[in-house]
Amino acid sequence: MSSIVIMGSQWGDEGKGKMTDYLAQDADMVVRFQGGNNAGHTITFNGNTYKLQLVPSGIFEPSKVNIIGNGVVVNPQALLKELQILKKAHVDTSNLKISSRAHLILPYHIQLDISQEKQRGKGKVGTTHNGIGPAYMDKAARIGIRMCDLLEKDTFAAKLKENLVQKNALFTKIYDEKPFDFDELFAQYYEYGQQLKPYVTDTSVLVNQALEKHQKVLFEGAQGVMLDLDHGTYPYVTSSNPIAGGALTGAGVGPQSLQRMVGICKVYSTRVGEGPFPTELKDETGDYIRQTAHEYGTVTGRPRRIGWFDAVAMRHAKRVSGMNCLSLNLLDILTGLKTIKICTAYELDGQKIDYYPASLKELERCRPVYEELPGWEENLTQMTKFEQLPENAQHFLKRIEEVTGLPLITVSVGPSREQTIILQDAWEE
Ligand code: IMP
């Protein structure tokens, strides 16, 4: 297998970091293809813990090429901060490459994100306030500023000026906010561009060369399929495409380049921010899972909403993303629960349905149809083989395979790399 796409199969925060680090060990190249510094993943390396938001997780190995693809929206200030932290820790970052076509997140995008959310009031999306949506808005409106534009003084000046006319009018006339000063912004960000210049290149060329040489390329998705702009719970979604298809446009490769599509999921569901969540647990079980698994956002610290495993959402995610196997996390968290539920269908207006409705109103009326499975008491955290798991846990895993129609390749029983039951080597044909 020379290419793998990793993607979140639920609403993000499925623990992609652990699997990415694990698969990155054998990869020659790690490619981020969408999102921005709304993502966050924690890596422990040489006893130190790092929170990476933009830099791909292969950065700790000097032999691996790390790509920030054209589909990513890059906040230059946030990226430089991340690079500084890595340099301080003596991590060689010269193997990082940033697409010349990647669009920038500038301070007015962040302000617009905050202002729009404020204006939406109760109907807010619950964004991370990192300017992700407004940056993709400008990209689609063809007024975005790309990495290559930042490096050309005149181009950057002209584009920034043009953008500020429109954005400052919005801030002063609609949102009652202060306007941005061109000179200040230009000087600061042109300088950032100069610092990032050595990393900027046509990354699609590099990724395609690696694929042609049959090198191992790992495409690292951020967020999750249910937050996908097209296929998620719109408008309570992010503004990019976390599905495997996002890797095609976001890295500049053809569809034949993608081989294995690994969906990462939890044995239960979580979501941060607003939006429908049919299996949400607003009870003691939800609180128990949140506390036991420390379900609080890496980027924002917000408590995550908890729900049972939702096979309807998973089958939807499988269909729209091309996912062909599953990597299941956090099985150990369910230890001690008397019964565990899997949502196998929804009931909508008295009818059993098997699809994920596009209409939010319909989705709000959906009631989960649950299958109840017996729990287990055993501590799983030292178990390394499927056969060592209690019978009820084995049965639960088999049911997950059956209800999703996806084979499991790994099952995680704790946060460290060793606490992983490997059922199949993802890189193997
Ligand atoms: P945005 O991506 O900041 O615009 O936020 C849009 C929605 O996606 C919000 O509900 C966020 O909470 C959610 N979101 C964005 N990034 C992540 C992530 O990395 N994990 C989980 N949820 C996320």
Side-chain angles (χ1 to χ4, degrees), residues 328-382:
L328 197 66
N329 283 335
L330 295 150
L331 184 65
D332 52 302
I333 298 298
L334 300 184
T335 287
L337 294 179
K338 241 188 163 54
T339 54
I340 297 162
K341 291 185 187 174
I342 295 178
C343 165
T344 54
Y346 295 155
E347 199 186 285
L348 174 64
D349 304 333
Q351 299 264 9
K352 203 165 159 184
I353 62 162
D354 185 33
Y355 62 90
Y356 205 84
S359 152
L360 289 192
K361 286 206 171 115
E362 279 188 16
L363 204 48
E364 270 157 20
R365 294 202 306 278
C366 281
R367 300 285 161 260
V369 176
Y370 286 121
E371 179 176 313
E372 265 193 64
L373 303 175
W376 57 88
E377 290 294 333
E378 293 87 335
N379 180 337
L380 315 181
T381 57
Q382 304 301 319

Side-chain angles (χ1 to χ4, degrees), residues 28-79:
D28 299 297
M29 182 178 267
V30 186
V31 187
R32 267 288 301 273
F33 57 88
Q34 45 75 227
N37 59 323
N38 47 349
H41 99 225
T42 309
I43 298 188
T44 303
F45 180 75
N46 276 353
N48 296 315
T49 297
Y50 303 90
K51 285 190 175 167
L52 296 184
Q53 293 190 269
L54 277 164
V55 176
S57 46
I59 200 73
F60 299 99
E61 268 304 324
S63 63
K64 298 183 199 308
V65 181
N66 290 273
I67 305 266
I68 295 181
N70 57 280
V72 176
V73 278
V74 178
N75 174 332
Q77 191 176 48
L79 178 56

Side-chain angles (χ1 to χ4, degrees), residues 268 284-296 306 330 332-337 415:
Y268 49 90
E284 280 170 11
T285 309
D287 293 341
Y288 171 80
I289 293 176
R290 185 179 303 104
Q291 294 312 325
T292 316
H294 308 290
E295 290 289 2
Y296 295 88
I306 313 285
L330 295 150
D332 52 302
I333 298 298
L334 300 184
T335 287
L337 294 179

Side-chain angles (χ1 to χ4, degrees), residues 271-287:
R271 108 167 267 178
V272 278
E274 311 305 313
F277 190 14
T279 65
E280 184 163 14
L281 283 164
K282 291 180 178 168
D283 61 7
E284 280 170 11
T285 309
D287 293 341

